[in-house]
Amino acid sequence: MKTAIYNPAPMTLGLIATLAIALFLSACAPSGALPNIAIPKSKTTAATLKSEKHMIAAANPLAADAGLEMLRSGGSAVDAAIAAQMVLGLVEPQSSGIGGGGFMLSFNSENGEIAAWDGRETAPDGATPGMFLNLDGKPKSFAAARLGGLSVGVPGLLAMLEQVHAEQGKLPWAKLFGPAIKLAENGFTVSPRLAQLIAGASALDTFTPTRNYFFHKDGTPLQAGEKLTNKKLAATYRTIAEQGAKAFYLGPIGYDIGQTVREASVNPGTITSTDMVAYRAKKRDPVCGPYRTMLVCGMGPPSSGGIATLQILGMMQEFDLQNTRPGSLQAAHLISEASKLAFADRAAYIGDPRFVPWPEGLISPDYLKARAGTINPSAASGPAAPGMPGMSSHNKYGTSDESYGISTTHLSVIDANGNAVAMTSSIESAFGSRLMVRGFLLNNQLTDFSFRPEVNGAPVANQVGPRKRPRSSMAPTLVFDADGNTIAAIGSPGGSSIIGYVAQAIVALFDWELSPGEALSMPHFLSRGGAVELEINSAAEILKKPLEDIGHEVRMKQTTSGLHFVGMKDGGLVGAADPRREGVVLGD
Ligand code: GLU
């Protein structure tokens, strides 16, 4: 039973009630005695939507509309997610699309199965461990590595969506492309955020197709409110709608992707048709663990998102956060300390599981309890070291650098039958590699690998290698209560900050019982292994000095979360969208 707690294969609702009860009985250590300071309650928060039947939260109103249209036509949560994703690739092209990858957590209400779908990009056969090093052996700058063909991984999103649809789709595949094709042909309005990011993106005019799409003939960037069509993407979508994902991987689209990557005028890469044909999405077991009376399930490696979130929550289980005020100094301190420990393990142990097996002890309650025991409740510790999760025959690896994203997208859906989806998808940084093919941008996901293949002579877990998937931080998450209700489908963009955003939101929703709108609007505090990061220009600034007083280094940072949440509550549904981006939540 214990193994099943943290390594469910397959995880079903049958296990959930037992887990939850066992966990609730675990003792809570008292929290330390820090000054009773907390982030003041915000006067303006995102709205919370309540509805009865079905609900979708996504990063753009047109995408949420498309998803809702599918739900209203009797589509499943998976159908709605696919339709919304196709629109996102059009209207939020900087964040995600068929030129990228993603991860999905799904709950199938028919058989109770919780599944984790891996559509992460893979490195081509031509990739090498040192490909992001300069000739002098030093890592390239991120901007230099991102641009052009070298950073492009074989896209995985479409293969994943087709695989999930074959299992959990109800509507015909072609129908799911309808809203996006119509918008691409008839035009949509450029949103303020898209316009702002076009204007601010470096090197976006490097390659002709991309320049022609995002800039006017006189070189000025598209403005918010302008109407934009994308006939090339409409044609691509039509082909894929009619012929399926094979048209993308096997046919002329795949050929064009390879050619664009190999013939890029800057940083040519190596993707070939063989790399495209070899791509496989994977259905994986989710990583699941207890939190209070709930079961939290996330995406395992190659994402670090699920494990790190479960670790933070697993450590927080040992503290009595429910009795601290929302956004308290105490909570910010404890969560930051737990995050430091989680990020130390993440750096040492997580990579593509095909190449780097991960120690499952990382999410065992005993291990997390022991790790929590090392946290001083009233003072910051120094840098955290990786733990020894019940072993270790596993290698520990050198550590690698972190990304901090303004792109990527997350959507959450629950349908009328109780099926749920949490999906985060990405082309990595805003506008990816800047290469555009047939109306869509190609990702730069390979820069999520460590640029340094070794640190102090030890190989890095997240080293580049052929057919390897780069480590991610994406954390699509499903949370279940003891009765098996999906009380949260949640996730966010934000690079390695995703982990902190999701963990904080879960604490805000369920320990502090904030409404979804309040929880998603709450100013952020997080740590990615080093300093505590507080959301700049927000009420979280009140925590700066008190955190410094107990030994933390504190940095004020602009945070770019885009949390989207849908969950069951009191027999109905509730949902909210992060006010920091352009998302909405819709339902009936
Ligand atoms: N590429 C990042 C990852 O997979 C996501 C980037 C972002 O959230 O902006 O973790």
Side-chain angles (χ1 to χ4, degrees):
M1 189 67 230
K2 209 161 185 199
T3 324
I5 288 180
Y6 55 94
N7 182 25
M11 174 54 76
T12 62
L13 278 182
L15 291 172
I16 294 177
T18 327
L19 298 180
I21 291 157
L23 285 158
F24 191 52
L25 299 177
S26 71
C28 291
S31 41
L34 291 180
N36 187 13
I37 300 168
I39 301 173
K41 208 173 162 185
S42 172
K43 285 182 205 90
T44 52
T45 57
T48 296
L49 180 74
K50 292 188 185 175
S51 77
E52 298 302 314
K53 208 167 159 194
H54 46 225
M55 196 178 274
I56 175 165
N60 182 285
L62 295 167
D65 276 343
L68 188 63
E69 188 184 322
M70 297 305 140
L71 293 170
R72 285 179 175 160
S73 330
S76 65
V78 163
D79 293 326
I82 296 171
Q85 175 62 65
M86 291 309 140
V87 175
L88 287 169
L90 173 72
V91 301
E92 202 200 22
Q94 74 275 15
S95 290
S96 72
I98 59 174
F103 296 109
M104 182 190 284
L105 260 278
S106 66
F107 171 65
N108 183 338
S109 65
E110 242 164 62
N111 58 15
E113 186 190 45
I114 304 161
W117 306 85
D118 173 352
R120 186 67 162 170
E121 296 87 338
T122 52
D125 282 348
T128 58
M131 68 192 244
F132 293 123
L133 296 176
N134 284 317
L135 289 178
D136 63 3
K138 299 219 170 79
K140 288 180 193 265
S141 72
F142 177 76
R146 168 182 57 190
L147 187 63
L150 203 59
S151 66
V152 182
V154 178
L157 184 70
L158 260 182
M160 175 184 82
L161 294 178
E162 190 178 64
Q163 200 180 46
V164 187
H165 181 259
E167 250 191 44
Q168 293 177 36
K170 277 171 74 185
L171 299 174
W173 171 254
K175 184 177 168 69
L176 310 178
F177 289 75
I181 292 172
K182 210 158 126 192
L183 281 166
E185 277 170 353
N186 298 343
F188 66 96
T189 305
V190 173
S191 77
R193 183 173 164 80
L194 172 55
Q196 187 198 335
L197 289 174
I198 295 171
S202 63
L204 190 56
D205 57 357
T206 307
F207 305 108
T208 311
T210 320
R211 183 171 61 242
N212 290 346
Y213 186 63
F214 290 110
F215 296 86
H216 300 118
K217 288 212 168 65
D218 67 0
T220 55
L222 293 176
Q223 301 293 309
E226 282 189 57
K227 197 161 177 188
L228 186 61
T229 56
N230 190 339
K231 300 263 162 62
K232 287 185 185 154
L233 185 62
T236 304
Y237 278 174
R238 250 185 226 293
T239 307
I240 297 164
E242 281 159 18
Q243 298 172 25
K246 68 174 186 308
F248 180 87
Y249 290 96
L250 302 180
I253 304 173
Y255 180 83
D256 277 3
I257 291 174
Q259 195 176 40
T260 305
V261 163
R262 292 192 312 274
E263 293 180 2
S265 54
V266 184
N267 285 336
T270 62
I271 291 182
T272 60
S273 293
T274 314
D275 291 313
M276 292 297 295
V277 170
Y279 186 83
R280 294 290 179 275
K282 290 188 193 300
K283 182 178 181 184
R284 299 186 186 273
D285 293 330
V287 291
C288 293
Y291 188 54
R292 318 258 184 234
T293 58
M294 301 167 286
L295 184 79
V296 180
C297 291
M299 187 74 223
S303 186
S304 60
I307 291 173
T309 307
L310 288 176
Q311 285 197 319
I312 295 167
L313 294 174
M315 286 183 254
M316 285 307 96
Q317 191 137 270
E318 305 302 319
F319 298 94
D320 192 7
L321 291 186
Q322 301 103 311
N323 289 326
T324 67
R325 285 158 61 199
S328 63
L329 171 63
Q330 185 70 71
H333 164 66
L334 292 171
I335 291 173
S336 298
E337 289 294 285
S339 301
K340 274 158 64 174
L341 293 164
F343 270 75
D345 281 351
R346 172 184 183 270
Y349 296 115
I350 310 296
D352 182 338
R354 217 181 116 219
F355 299 82
V356 182
W358 61 281
E360 293 181 3
L362 282 176
I363 51 171
S364 93
D366 287 347
Y367 172 68
L368 295 175
K369 192 173 178 156
R371 291 286 267 174
T374 68
I375 296 175
N376 179 337
S378 49
S381 56
M388 299 283 279
M391 35 111 222
S392 178
S393 61
H394 286 268
N395 285 328
K396 265 194 264 172
Y397 293 84
T399 59
S400 48
D401 302 338
E402 296 309 336
S403 69
Y404 191 75
I406 53 168
S407 62
T408 306
T409 205
H410 177 85
L411 62 83
S412 294
V413 197
I414 297 184
D415 69 23
N417 293 317
N419 300 300
V421 160
M423 176 170 79
T424 314
S425 82
S426 178
I427 55 168
E428 214 302 287
S429 71
F431 305 99
S433 63
R434 277 72 176 130
L435 289 169
M436 214 167 174
V437 189
R438 292 181 178 245
F440 58 91
L441 283 159
L442 294 176
N443 69 84
N444 67 298
Q445 212 70 250
L446 301 189
T447 60
D448 268 3
F449 281 116
S450 171
F451 287 17
R452 294 174 204 271
E454 297 185 345
V455 172
N456 300 331
V460 167
N462 188 30
Q463 186 186 83
V464 193
R467 306 235 175 153
K468 210 173 165 191
R469 298 176 187 221
R471 183 184 65 202
S472 169
S473 303
M474 292 191 272
T477 305
L478 295 176
V479 184
F480 303 90
D481 70 11
D483 296 324
N485 297 307
T486 309
I487 52 173
I490 192 167
S492 177
S496 51
S497 303
I498 292 171
I499 292 160
Y501 299 150
V502 171
Q504 184 186 346
I506 290 175
V507 169
L509 284 162
F510 302 113
D511 282 333
W512 297 327
E513 298 180 341
L514 299 187
S515 71
E518 287 171 331
L520 271 52
S521 308
M522 187 176 205
H524 294 304
F525 51 82
L526 57 91
S527 170
R528 295 182 290 151
V532 179
E533 296 172 20
L534 298 178
E535 183 167 358
I536 200 163
N537 300 327
S538 82
E541 294 189 348
I542 197 173
L543 299 180
K544 182 168 190 288
K545 173 129 194 341
L547 284 167
E548 284 170 347
D549 288 345
I550 56 168
H552 287 283
E553 184 195 338
V554 179
R555 286 199 207 129
M556 305 307 301
K557 283 248 182 189
Q558 175 132 33
T559 59
T560 46
S561 62
L563 288 153
H564 290 112
F565 164 84
V566 175
M568 292 178 173
K569 191 170 188 192
D570 303 331
L573 294 168
V574 286
D578 195 319
R580 297 166 188 83
R581 297 204 186 195
E582 295 174 332
V584 293
V585 55
L586 300 175
D588 296 310

